[in-house]
Amino acid sequence: MKYSLKQKLTFSYVVIVIASIGFAVLFANVGIKNQFKHYAIQKQEKETEETINLIKMKYDEEGGFRSSYLDIIGMNSLQNGMILVIKDTKGGTIWSAYEHNNGLCQAMIKNMAINMSSYSNKWDGRYEEKTYPIMDHNAVVAELTTGFMGPYYFNDEELIFIKALNSILLFTGAASILLAFFLGIFMSARLSSPLKKISDKALFLARGEYKERIASDYNTREIKILADTINQLSDALMEKDRLRKQLTQDVAHELRTPLTSVQGHMEAMLDGVWELSNERLSSCYEEIMRLKKLVGSIEDLSALEDRNILLHKEEFEFSLLLERLLNNYEKELRDNRIQVGVEGDGIIYADKDKMSQVFNNLLSNAVKYSGEGAEVIITFKQAADSVEIQVSDNGSGIPKEDIPHIFERFYRADKSRNRNTGGAGIGLSITKSIVEAHGGSITVNSETDKGTVFTIILPGKAEG
Ligand code: ADP
């Protein structure tokens, strides 16, 4: 059986409180009993001493033992639970409570036994006697025997007081436990209710509902951290979900136009509206190849956006990477009479293939958007703990309003012109993701009809 946190907390709290209050009551009870026992024994001794002194004083005053005062002292002691017998040195009885009122003595002994048994069922007292000499000028004149319930006893009033004290103690204990029980429920509810809210929110997350946020103004540090973390998790999942939906929409949108165009061409040829020709088939084939390239780019982008990017970093010379790239562009550059200048060189610490992709994108854009006779310059600058690489061209430039968006996927600055250049608007998104995965940054500076400068900063080996 599973218990809720609230039940467990309440249970633990109540157990702790019952144990503490139980111990407190028990110790108080034992302490009171011991104190009273001590008090009863001392009282007994004091009374005996006072009785002896009184008899001695009266003996001196009256010039001997007289029943006139012995009756009063003896009966008074009997009232206090002490039975007196006074004998002379030869053993003859001078005064005896038994002889004076035997019935009262027996009743007294019985009452004391009943009192003490009712006080504690573990009481194993019995009737005890103690004998003391009564002196006159250093000579023993008589012996006083005191009889009482030992080792100690309580009279009626004392017993009522002790019982009342015990009842108060028990009542206080029970009331405290009851109070603790309700306080326990209240406090457990206070502690468990934010956790309940957080777990409800986690259930919402599991169902894909990310919008609702949990209040995180709790004053318990751990609960606040948990609430903040769940909110962050919720934001991250919401963003991921948004990106996924956006990507699906973008992809569908991007694929629809070329697919519709291929479909239209094919239908026209199948219906005999268009004559089947090599030229038309080649055009369809090119469109399909473009689609294939687009799908490849989308795959790259989705992997990069999912942060699944795995880098195999190594140190290599930047010029080697450029050399290979420029070889690929040789024909295109020559056909368009585009000049490429390279300034500076140095070592970079990065994933060679991914960096190839980055500079391939930048170079192809520079060529694509610069037109015949343009000039492209690539500069490399080494700083203390980073490298700065710039790719600049004197081409068409990017309109001001488009600059903030060009790194967004599927964004093209000039839609109609881009259809001709065949760009899908993915290249710069991929470039940015790769550069950022390396811990670097990419920025752009551009002016329409003047040219564009892309600046990449990559951290050196120590930082990267
Ligand atoms: P595309 O595949 O369309 O080139 P990119 O993501 O590489 O996609 O670039 C996004 C847009 O930024 C391009 O459509 C283009 O309008 C603009 N752009 C990128 N590089 C340049 C450049 N060197 N000169 C002018 N415009 C550029």
Side-chain angles (χ1 to χ4, degrees):
M1 184 167 172
K2 295 263 181 287
Y3 296 99
S4 71
L5 181 68
K6 185 177 163 190
Q7 285 169 324
K8 280 198 165 180
L9 282 173
T10 309
F11 180 73
S12 319
Y13 189 75
V14 168
V15 167
I16 292 169
V17 169
I18 288 181
S20 348
I21 293 177
F23 270 116
V25 169
L26 197 77
F27 279 125
N29 186 270
V30 171
I32 287 170
K33 269 188 178 165
N34 276 338
Q35 267 320 106
F36 265 97
K37 182 176 155 186
H38 195 63
Y39 155 80
I41 292 170
Q42 274 190 340
K43 190 186 81 171
Q44 174 83 35
E45 282 167 3
K46 205 169 157 223
E47 271 175 14
T48 309
E49 200 184 311
E50 278 173 4
T51 307
I52 294 172
N53 287 342
L54 194 62
I55 294 172
K56 183 76 203 344
M57 197 182 83
K58 284 288 173 191
Y59 175 86
D60 290 343
E61 267 177 26
E62 305 279 333
F65 294 112
R66 306 277 179 269
S67 64
S68 55
Y69 66 84
L70 285 178
D71 283 353
I72 298 168
I73 295 173
M75 285 314 287
N76 199 36
S77 292
L78 196 59
Q79 295 296 329
N80 290 330
M82 196 158 70
I83 294 165
L84 298 186
V85 175
I86 305 170
K87 288 187 175 171
D88 62 21
T89 45
K90 291 190 188 87
T93 303
I94 300 171
W95 193 89
S96 164
Y98 295 111
E99 282 174 18
H100 191 78
N101 193 339
N102 189 36
L104 192 60
C105 287
Q106 295 311 324
M108 207 70 207
I109 292 170
K110 202 173 154 199
N111 187 41
M112 284 192 288
I114 291 171
N115 267 7
M116 294 314 284
S117 305
S118 79
Y119 169 66
S120 160
N121 47 15
K122 279 199 217 103
W123 183 76
D124 60 346
R126 74 210 102 59
Y127 185 71
E128 280 180 21
E129 283 190 342
K130 275 186 186 166
T131 301
Y132 305 88
I134 298 176
M135 314 287 289
D136 183 27
H137 297 100
N138 291 335
V140 177
V141 287
E143 272 185 344
L144 171 74
T145 303
T146 58
F148 55 90
M149 261 313 162
Y152 63 97
Y153 73 93
F154 300 131
N155 63 29
D156 291 351
E157 289 77 24
E158 287 163 348
L159 209 63
I160 288 168
F161 180 70
I162 293 169
K163 282 185 176 168
L165 210 61
N166 276 338
S167 304
I168 290 171
L169 213 60
L170 266 177
F171 175 77
T172 315
S176 309
I177 287 171
L178 208 69
L179 188 73
F181 180 72
F182 288 113
L183 269 180
I185 293 179
F186 173 70
M187 286 177 65
S188 310
R190 270 195 62 152
L191 209 74
S192 61
S193 90
L195 288 176
K196 171 91 178 58
K197 276 189 203 148
I198 293 170
S199 76
D200 285 350
K201 167 74 183 170
L203 276 178
F204 272 116
L205 286 189
R207 275 192 243 128
E209 294 166 37
Y210 310 120
K211 278 222 168 72
E212 208 185 310
R213 297 185 69 82
I214 355 172
S216 62
D217 52 344
Y218 298 110
N219 50 15
T220 312
R221 191 164 14 106
E222 287 79 1
I223 292 179
K224 187 173 168 17
I225 292 173
L226 187 62
D228 286 342
T229 312
I230 290 278
N231 279 336
Q232 279 164 15
L233 178 69
S234 173
D235 290 348
L237 285 173
M238 192 152 74
E239 177 60 12
K240 238 185 155 63
D241 198 44
R242 193 190 64 77
L243 279 174
R244 189 180 53 79
K245 284 182 185 150
Q246 183 70 45
L247 183 66
T248 319
Q249 270 176 19
D250 290 350
V251 167
H253 180 80
E254 288 303 315
L255 293 179
R256 193 173 297 118
T257 322
L259 274 175
T260 315
S261 143
V262 174
Q263 186 193 8
H265 290 187
M266 287 296 199
E267 272 172 6
M269 283 188 266
L270 284 171
D271 294 347
V273 179
W274 275 2
E275 224 174 87
L276 200 71
S277 74
N278 248 357
E279 206 177 294
R280 283 180 175 140
L281 276 178
S282 294
S283 145
C284 285
Y285 179 76
E286 267 170 32
E287 198 78 355
I288 289 169
M289 286 315 284
R290 239 204 325 263
L291 274 169
K292 200 175 158 210
K293 211 173 125 199
L294 175 64
V295 171
S297 304
I298 292 169
E299 264 172 6
D300 284 352
L301 184 67
S302 130
L304 290 169
E305 282 189 345
D306 262 0
R307 303 248 174 268
N308 287 341
I309 183 165
L310 254 179
L311 299 175
H312 302 284
K313 289 194 193 175
E314 57 184 312
E315 282 184 302
F316 56 90
E317 256 178 66
F318 181 64
S319 56
L320 291 180
L321 182 120
L322 264 192
E323 220 170 279
R324 214 174 61 195
L325 270 180
L326 291 174
N327 278 342
N328 294 344
Y329 280 94
E330 208 183 329
K331 186 175 176 305
E332 221 173 332
L333 295 172
R334 204 181 37 229
D335 289 353
N336 289 299
R337 291 185 297 108
I338 294 175
Q339 294 281 323
V340 178
V342 180
E343 293 170 11
D345 188 19
I347 302 284
I348 62 171
Y349 178 65
D351 184 313
K352 211 175 189 173
D353 289 341
K354 299 272 183 318
M355 274 304 142
S356 254
Q357 207 176 341
V358 164
F359 289 102
N360 191 16
N361 287 346
L362 293 183
L363 212 58
S364 89
N365 278 352
V367 171
K368 251 194 303 190
Y369 302 110
S370 296
E372 257 183 61
E375 196 178 30
V376 177
I377 300 171
I378 302 165
T379 54
F380 183 100
K381 280 186 211 150
Q382 180 86 54
D385 47 15
S386 62
V387 293
E388 186 192 281
I389 305 160
Q390 285 187 330
V391 178
S392 45
D393 62 61
N394 56 356
S396 62
I398 306 166
K400 223 176 176 171
E401 64 275 15
D402 291 318
I403 291 180
H405 305 289
I406 57 160
F407 292 106
E408 290 171 16
R409 63 188 181 205
F410 300 119
Y411 191 87
R412 305 175 185 104
D414 184 338
K415 309 283 186 285
S416 56
R417 196 179 55 182
N418 267 287
R419 205 161 296 141
N420 300 331
T421 56
I426 293 184
L428 285 181
S429 317
I430 292 180
T431 301
K432 187 169 187 258
S433 299
I434 294 176
V435 171
E436 286 180 352
H438 277 80
S441 66
I442 177 163
T443 47
V444 64
N445 248 312
S446 186
E447 219 176 300
T448 332
D449 296 331
K450 285 218 166 128
T452 306
V453 183
F454 282 99
T455 306
I456 290 180
I457 295 178
L458 287 176
K461 192 172 180 183
E463 276 72 26

